[in-house]
Amino acid sequence: MKILADLSIGAKGEMLDISDNLLEQKLLEMGCTPGEQFEVVRKAPFGGPIAILISSYVLSIRKEDAISIEVKLLVNE
Amino acid sequence: MSSKNLKIALAGNPNSGKTTLFNALTGLKQKVGNYPGITVEKKTGKAILSEKVLAEIIDLPGTYSLFPKSMDEQVAQQTLCNNDNEDYPDVTVVIADATNLRRSIFLLTQIIDLNMEVVLALNMVDIATKKGIVVDVNLLSRELGIPVVAINARKGKGIVALKEIIIDSIDKKPKFPFLEVAKLFKGVIEQANKIRGVENNFASFMALCKQKLSGEIDNRCALNQLCKIEEIIPERAQAKETVKRYAQIDKVIKSTVKKGTPIGKYMLTKKIDDVLIHPIFGYVVFLSILFLLFQAVFSWSAYPMELIDELFTNLQQFTADSMPKGMLNDLVVNGILAGLGGIVIFVPQIAFLFAFIAFLEDTGYMARVSFITDKLLRGVGLNGRSIIPLLSGAACAVPAIMSARTISSWKERLITIMVTPLMSCSARLPVYTLIISLVIPADEFLGFNLQGLVMMAFYLIGFVSAIAIAFFMKFIIKSKERSYYIMEMPSYKIPDWKTVLYTIIEKVKVFLFDAGKIIIAISIVLWVLSSFAPGNKFEQIEQKWAGIENAEIQISADKLEHSYAGIIGKSIEPAIKPLGFDWKIGISLLTSFAAREVFVGTMSTIYSVGDDDIRSIQKRLADVKRQDGEKFFTPAVGISLMLFYAFAMQCMSTLAIVYRETNHIKWPIIQFLYMGVMAYLSSFIAFQLLS
């Protein structure tokens, strides 16, 4: 198990669990359901948001929020 | 068949093409307002569905689900879930992006489960097909149990078919629920139905999850009790339901969508993003775009603004000459026409700024701007998107504040609105120019022109104080909304010019009609204050100067001094004396409220300069002496005056637009007060230190 915030660009993974309740509901509704695969495509400079490609669209999340997202690492680049 | 007036709601995710479809359906027959009591924009329009059927289309705020996380989304929920709502639709059209079907039909399936009359408008099916994503529209319609129409909102394809299907769908509920929510929570939903006295499983589920639907207040206790007995934790139940719903959606997608390479569609966007969100080039490009935007609002709009100014001057002249002389003539010319001119003059700036913003928004670039600036601005309570209002505030706060609409968090938007007027706008420029040329010597300082340096310092003061106040307000303004930054980064696309054009028209209309009313009213008040005097003072003045040739200038100076405005100016003199100002400046401060640049005109009237040319005013002011024979305009007075203009909220147009945008009189008042206090204190300190 890994934390989304720790992944580097190019890493591919699978959504597992989101520990923050409010965040969880919002992300679930946007299609980040457990088992859904994603790829980290961008990281904003200065520790800004992270962008992931999931469900064929790009979603950006603050790094602080990505700390509460647990993922399974599939491919690390 | 009698003609019907249907209510149609348009729902969908942000970036799904909802606004484009709305424009395609309604054309220019649109109305923009606010929902009562809140600041969410309400867009409605009229559409002709057939010869006999007219419809009112409500463009609901973009949302991902019926469980709202922001005020915008709450409006969508309340409209769709509450059949007492005045906008409760006869038919709901959900627009979904065919290239991103999984996420975009989530909302649709919730609406189906509310058992509402709903139609799916599947946008960009043609583009999806080109990208290897083939959607079987007929099968999708069968699987969902509702009508599905393939459209391309931009090209206007499928709109006729959509209109027909909307008419066909009146009173036709979905054939079956999408997700049997009752099966997920055995017996609980049925009990909730009983408590609510409504046979609607999904609505009852929403109510169980603490959503406030119609008449829910009475049932709250009973529903909470039910949750307790059945050991239902609303958050968990909601998460469970969402996961199940997606599982069901995935099944439907599997049978109806044939996918090529899903990553392929991201490739072009990825290449563009390599530059636009690059750690160095990203900011370079952004700064260049800002520079261009600033140029557009500041310089390009100068020509049409001059034209408007000239037009109104001529119109005023013409009216003054052609109407019978007297009070009414003066009211029309110097009250109403001057006020109108003061409003219309903003139109070019608003048009240019929103042309840019709509363009950047529509191409998908704005999402990238937030992405690269979020971290930097969030620290001071602002949002990545605050950068546009802040910097365009350096041209004019009015369009800048209107552009804060793109900030989704209410708190961050409010802070942006509150601090934007601190940026040195173009109306402060003539004031600064006049005073700097008056009190700052044209010497060199470290190889730079000192006057130029002072000018720059004042622009910097504006920016720094805006950031500082934002940081301060971050801790003061309380917000129930959690500041999220979970945002879709849409693929780049060529902007839809129609959308850009419609945005410009919409913003100009909002400004002219909503803020315009307030501005006209204040203009008339200011006119009354400066053209009336107690008793027969004006007659005495005219008698005094009677027979003396070319005395018009002195007469108007004399009249202004004894008018109500003059009286106010004199009565506030004790208060502004510690700042180094006399009653003459007091009058100018008062009249500046119409617009800051009026300062120059008022100073020229009150010092009887005769014309508004800055150089001749400067010469005249340089000669003004104090009672002790010393120069009145010392650097101390000048700096104090400039600081006052830098901070004081002396612009009724801005106050009017802040009222319009925040929908509460509290915010413009707070803004007026805090900026006033800042202006007074900084001028006081500067004058006392320097003199």
Side-chain angles (χ1 to χ4, degrees), chain B residues 238-309:
Chain B
Q238 206 183 324
K240 179 179 169 187
E241 196 267 355
T242 307
V243 172
K244 287 277 180 218
R245 186 171 292 277
Y246 262 114
Q248 184 75 19
I249 289 172
D250 284 334
K251 263 190 224 161
V252 171
I253 300 248
K254 207 171 178 188
S255 66
T256 54
V257 182
K258 285 193 182 60
K259 268 189 191 172
T261 41
I263 306 289
K265 115 178 165 122
Y266 180 63
M267 284 318 284
L268 177 66
T269 290
K270 190 171 186 300
K271 275 183 190 146
I272 302 175
D273 271 344
D274 281 341
V275 179
L276 295 188
I277 8 189
H278 186 274
I280 297 162
F281 300 129
Y283 295 99
V284 173
V285 171
F286 179 51
L287 285 178
S288 321
I289 289 176
L290 278 180
F291 178 75
L292 210 65
L293 185 144
F294 191 70
Q295 282 295 311
V297 180
F298 200 78
S299 319
W300 302 354
S301 55
Y303 304 105
M305 283 171 83
E306 254 167 54
L307 271 177
I308 292 170
D309 195 32

Side-chain angles (χ1 to χ4, degrees), chain B residues 462-656:
Chain B
F463 181 71
V464 171
S465 58
I467 297 292
I469 295 292
F471 185 67
F472 182 67
M473 284 187 173
K474 178 185 162 185
F475 298 101
I476 291 189
I477 296 175
K478 293 274 174 283
S479 167
K480 274 178 243 156
E481 265 184 310
R482 218 185 103 162
S483 167
Y484 273 120
Y485 181 89
I486 295 176
M487 227 177 47
E488 183 183 351
M489 285 230 267
S491 305
Y492 286 110
K493 53 180 191 196
I494 296 163
D496 178 26
W497 297 109
K498 230 165 131 188
T499 306
V500 174
L501 185 70
Y502 277 39
T503 309
I504 298 173
I505 294 171
E506 179 197 314
K507 296 295 170 184
V508 168
K509 257 165 75 182
V510 162
F511 175 71
L512 285 182
F513 299 118
D514 286 15
K517 281 183 281 194
I518 307 173
I519 299 170
I520 285 277
I522 303 178
S523 305
I524 292 174
V525 170
L526 283 174
W527 170 80
V528 169
L529 287 180
S530 51
S531 18
F532 288 91
N536 58 351
K537 202 72 206 169
F538 279 5
E539 284 158 38
Q540 289 171 11
I541 292 169
E542 286 192 12
Q543 276 167 12
K544 189 173 112 190
W545 295 94
I548 302 168
E549 266 179 54
N550 297 325
E552 287 91 0
I553 303 160
Q554 278 85 354
I555 292 178
S556 51
D558 215 354
K559 277 189 173 173
L560 187 56
E561 181 183 342
H562 292 97
S563 69
Y564 286 106
I567 293 169
I568 297 175
K570 280 186 178 169
S571 60
I572 61 170
E573 199 183 51
I576 56 177
K577 202 151 199 170
L579 313 184
F581 308 160
D582 61 358
W583 62 267
K584 290 183 176 179
I585 294 179
I587 295 176
S588 306
L589 294 184
L590 191 71
T591 54
S592 287
F593 194 63
R596 290 180 179 93
E597 66 268 28
V598 170
F599 172 81
V600 177
T602 309
M603 289 296 268
S604 94
T605 306
I606 209 152
Y607 283 105
S608 321
V609 180
D611 65 75
D612 280 2
D613 181 51
I614 285 204
R615 251 163 303 167
S616 39
I617 300 171
Q618 184 217 326
K619 257 191 225 149
R620 174 74 189 85
L621 293 185
D623 293 336
V624 176
K625 297 281 193 297
R626 287 201 304 235
Q627 276 167 341
D628 59 9
E630 291 291 310
K631 265 190 175 182
F632 179 79
F633 285 97
T634 58
V637 173
I639 298 284
S640 163
L641 193 55
M642 282 197 287
L643 280 172
F644 195 88
Y645 271 84
F647 293 128
M649 182 65 212
Q650 290 163 295
C651 177
M652 60 174 174
S653 307
T654 305
L655 286 175

